[in-house]
Coordinates of all heavy atoms in Angstrom, one line a residue:
K1 N 0.8 -1.2 0.0 CA 0.0 0.0 0.0 C 0.9 1.3 0.0 O 2.0 1.3 0.6 CB -0.9 0.0 1.2 CG -2.0 -1.0 1.3 CD -2.8 -0.9 2.6 CE -3.9 -1.9 2.7 NZ -4.7 -1.7 3.9
P2 N 0.4 2.4 -0.6 CA 1.0 3.6 -0.4 C 0.8 4.2 1.0 O -0.1 3.7 1.7 CB 0.3 4.5 -1.4 CG -1.0 3.9 -1.6 CD -0.8 2.4 -1.5
I3 N 1.7 5.1 1.4 CA 1.7 5.6 2.8 C 0.3 6.0 3.3 O -0.2 5.7 4.3 CB 2.7 6.7 3.0 CG1 4.1 6.2 2.9 CG2 2.5 7.4 4.4 CD1 5.1 7.3 2.9
L4 N -0.4 6.8 2.4 CA -1.7 7.4 2.8 C -2.8 6.5 2.9 O -3.9 6.8 3.4 CB -2.0 8.6 1.9 CG -1.0 9.8 1.9 CD1 -1.5 10.9 1.0 CD2 -0.9 10.3 3.4
K5 N -2.6 5.2 2.5 CA -3.7 4.2 2.6 C -3.5 3.2 3.7 O -4.3 2.3 3.8 CB -3.9 3.5 1.2 CG -4.5 4.4 0.2 CD -4.9 3.7 -1.1 CE -5.6 4.6 -2.1 NZ -6.1 3.9 -3.2
L6 N -2.5 3.4 4.5 CA -2.2 2.5 5.6 C -3.3 2.7 6.7 O -3.7 3.8 6.9 CB -0.9 2.7 6.2 CG 0.4 2.4 5.3 CD1 1.6 2.8 6.0 CD2 0.4 0.9 5.0
T7 N -3.8 1.6 7.3 CA -4.9 1.7 8.3 C -4.4 1.3 9.7 O -3.3 0.8 9.8 CB -6.0 0.7 7.9 OG1 -5.5 -0.6 7.9 CG2 -6.5 1.0 6.4
N8 N -5.2 1.5 10.6 CA -4.9 1.1 12.0 C -4.7 -0.4 12.1 O -3.8 -0.8 12.8 CB -6.1 1.5 12.9 CG -6.2 2.9 13.2 OD1 -5.4 3.7 12.7 ND2 -7.1 3.3 14.1
K9 N -5.4 -1.1 11.3 CA -5.2 -2.6 11.3 C -3.9 -3.0 10.7 O -3.2 -3.9 11.3 CB -6.3 -3.2 10.4 CG -6.3 -4.8 10.4 CD -7.4 -5.3 9.5 CE -7.4 -6.8 9.5 NZ -8.4 -7.4 8.6
D10 N -3.4 -2.3 9.7 CA -2.1 -2.6 9.2 C -1.0 -2.4 10.2 O -0.1 -3.2 10.4 CB -1.8 -1.7 8.0 CG -2.7 -1.9 6.8 OD1 -3.0 -3.1 6.6 OD2 -3.1 -1.0 6.1
Y11 N -1.1 -1.3 11.0 CA -0.2 -1.0 12.0 C -0.2 -2.1 13.1 O 0.8 -2.6 13.6 CB -0.4 0.4 12.7 CG 0.1 1.5 11.8 CD1 -0.6 2.0 10.7 CD2 1.3 2.2 12.2 CE1 -0.1 3.1 10.0 CE2 1.7 3.2 11.5 CZ 1.0 3.7 10.4 OH 1.5 4.7 9.6
S12 N -1.4 -2.3 13.6 CA -1.5 -3.2 14.8 C -1.2 -4.7 14.5 O -0.7 -5.4 15.3 CB -2.9 -3.2 15.4 OG -3.9 -3.5 14.4
E13 N -1.4 -5.1 13.2 CA -1.1 -6.5 12.9 C 0.3 -6.7 12.5 O 0.8 -7.9 12.3 CB -2.0 -6.9 11.7 CG -3.5 -7.1 12.1 CD -4.3 -7.7 10.9 OE1 -3.8 -7.7 9.8 OE2 -5.5 -8.0 11.2
N14 N 1.1 -5.7 12.4 CA 2.5 -5.8 12.0 C 3.5 -5.2 12.9 O 4.6 -4.7 12.5 CB 2.7 -5.2 10.6 CG 1.9 -6.0 9.5 OD1 2.3 -7.1 9.1 ND2 0.8 -5.4 9.0
G15 N 3.2 -5.2 14.2 CA 4.1 -4.9 15.3 C 4.3 -3.4 15.5 O 5.2 -3.0 16.1
L16 N 3.4 -2.5 14.9 CA 3.6 -1.1 15.0 C 2.5 -0.4 15.8 O 2.2 0.8 15.6 CB 3.7 -0.5 13.6 CG 5.0 -0.9 12.8 CD1 4.9 -0.4 11.4 CD2 6.2 -0.3 13.5
G17 N 1.9 -1.2 16.7 CA 0.9 -0.6 17.5 C 1.3 0.5 18.4 O 0.6 1.4 18.8
E18 N 2.6 0.5 18.7 CA 3.2 1.6 19.6 C 3.0 2.9 18.9 O 2.8 3.9 19.6 CB 4.7 1.3 19.8 CG 5.1 0.4 20.9 CD 6.6 0.4 21.1 OE1 7.4 0.4 20.2 OE2 6.9 0.3 22.3
L19 N 3.1 3.0 17.6 CA 2.9 4.3 16.9 C 1.5 4.8 17.0 O 1.2 6.0 17.0 CB 3.4 4.1 15.4 CG 4.9 3.9 15.2 CD1 5.1 3.8 13.7 CD2 5.7 5.1 15.8
L20 N 0.5 3.8 17.0 CA -0.9 4.2 17.1 C -1.1 4.8 18.5 O -1.8 5.8 18.7 CB -1.8 3.0 16.9 CG -1.8 2.3 15.6 CD1 -2.7 1.2 15.6 CD2 -2.1 3.3 14.5
A21 N -0.4 4.3 19.5 CA -0.5 4.8 20.9 C 0.1 6.2 21.0 O -0.4 7.0 21.7 CB 0.1 3.8 21.9
L22 N 1.2 6.4 20.3 CA 1.9 7.6 20.3 C 1.2 8.8 19.6 O 1.2 9.9 20.1 CB 3.4 7.5 19.8 CG 4.4 6.7 20.6 CD1 5.7 6.5 19.8 CD2 4.7 7.5 21.9
Y23 N 0.6 8.4 18.4 CA 0.0 9.5 17.6 C -1.5 9.4 17.4 O -2.1 10.3 16.7 CB 0.7 9.4 16.2 CG 2.2 9.8 16.3 CD1 3.1 8.8 16.3 CD2 2.6 11.1 16.3 CE1 4.5 9.1 16.4 CE2 3.9 11.5 16.4 CZ 4.9 10.5 16.4 OH 6.2 10.8 16.5
G24 N -2.1 8.5 18.0 CA -3.6 8.4 18.1 C -4.2 7.7 17.0 O -5.3 7.0 17.2
S25 N -3.7 7.7 15.8 CA -4.3 7.0 14.6 C -3.3 6.8 13.5 O -2.3 7.5 13.4 CB -5.5 7.7 14.1 OG -5.1 8.9 13.4
A26 N -3.6 5.9 12.6 CA -2.8 5.7 11.4 C -2.7 6.9 10.6 O -1.7 7.3 10.0 CB -3.3 4.5 10.6
Y27 N -3.9 7.6 10.5 CA -4.0 8.8 9.7 C -2.9 9.8 10.1 O -2.2 10.4 9.2 CB -5.4 9.4 9.8 CG -5.5 10.7 9.0 CD1 -5.8 10.7 7.6 CD2 -5.4 11.9 9.7 CE1 -5.9 11.9 6.9 CE2 -5.5 13.1 9.0 CZ -5.8 13.1 7.6 OH -5.9 14.3 7.0
N28 N -2.8 10.1 11.4 CA -1.8 11.1 11.9 C -0.4 10.7 11.5 O 0.4 11.6 11.2 CB -2.0 11.2 13.4 CG -3.3 11.8 13.8 OD1 -4.0 12.5 13.0 ND2 -3.7 11.6 15.0
V29 N -0.1 9.4 11.7 CA 1.3 9.0 11.4 C 1.5 9.1 9.9 O 2.6 9.5 9.4 CB 1.5 7.5 11.8 CG1 3.0 7.1 11.6 CG2 1.1 7.3 13.3
N30 N 0.5 8.6 9.1 CA 0.7 8.7 7.6 C 1.0 10.1 7.1 O 1.9 10.3 6.3 CB -0.6 8.1 6.9 CG -0.9 6.7 7.3 OD1 0.0 6.0 7.8 ND2 -2.1 6.2 6.9
I31 N 0.2 11.0 7.5 CA 0.4 12.4 7.1 C 1.7 12.9 7.4 O 2.4 13.6 6.6 CB -0.7 13.3 7.7 CG1 -2.1 13.0 7.0 CG2 -0.4 14.8 7.5 CD1 -2.2 13.4 5.5
R32 N 2.2 12.7 8.7 CA 3.4 13.2 9.1 C 4.6 12.6 8.3 O 5.5 13.3 7.8 CB 3.6 12.8 10.6 CG 5.0 13.1 11.1 CD 5.2 12.9 12.6 NE 6.6 13.1 13.0 CZ 7.0 13.2 14.2 NH1 6.1 13.2 15.2 NH2 8.2 13.4 14.5
V33 N 4.6 11.3 8.1 CA 5.7 10.6 7.3 C 5.6 11.0 5.9 O 6.7 11.3 5.3 CB 5.6 9.1 7.5 CG1 6.6 8.4 6.6 CG2 5.8 8.7 8.9
F34 N 4.4 11.1 5.3 CA 4.3 11.5 3.9 C 4.9 12.9 3.7 O 5.6 13.1 2.7 CB 2.8 11.5 3.5 CG 2.6 11.9 2.1 CD1 2.7 11.0 1.1 CD2 2.2 13.3 1.7 CE1 2.4 11.4 -0.3 CE2 2.0 13.6 0.4 CZ 2.1 12.7 -0.6
N35 N 4.6 13.9 4.6 CA 5.1 15.2 4.4 C 6.6 15.2 4.6 O 7.3 15.9 3.9 CB 4.4 16.1 5.5 CG 3.0 16.5 5.1 OD1 2.6 16.4 4.0 ND2 2.2 16.8 6.1
D36 N 7.1 14.4 5.6 CA 8.6 14.4 5.8 C 9.3 13.9 4.5 O 10.3 14.5 4.1 CB 8.9 13.5 6.9 CG 8.6 14.1 8.3 OD1 8.4 15.3 8.3 OD2 8.7 13.4 9.3
I37 N 8.8 12.8 3.9 CA 9.4 12.2 2.8 C 9.3 13.2 1.6 O 10.2 13.3 0.7 CB 8.9 10.8 2.5 CG1 9.3 9.9 3.6 CG2 9.4 10.3 1.1 CD1 8.8 8.5 3.4
Q38 N 8.1 13.8 1.4 CA 7.9 14.7 0.3 C 8.9 15.8 0.3 O 9.4 16.3 -0.8 CB 6.5 15.3 0.4 CG 6.1 16.1 -0.8 CD 4.6 16.6 -0.7 OE1 4.3 17.1 0.4 NE2 3.8 16.5 -1.7
H39 N 9.3 16.3 1.5 CA 10.2 17.4 1.6 C 11.7 17.0 1.2 O 12.5 17.9 1.1 CB 10.2 18.0 3.0 CG 9.0 18.9 3.2 ND1 8.1 18.7 4.2 CD2 8.6 20.0 2.6 CE1 7.2 19.6 4.2 NE2 7.5 20.4 3.2
T40 N 11.9 15.7 1.1 CA 13.3 15.3 0.8 C 13.5 15.2 -0.8 O 14.6 15.0 -1.2 CB 13.6 13.8 1.3 OG1 12.8 12.9 0.6 CG2 13.3 13.8 2.8

């Protein structure tokens, strides 16, 4: 999947549930990482 289509389920089923706890939702993490990479 592309970054912006990752879901909470994708995170939790693949060992990245910690990021959901830190940022609240997959959407918040996706947007942050997408913007970071776009700027590179």
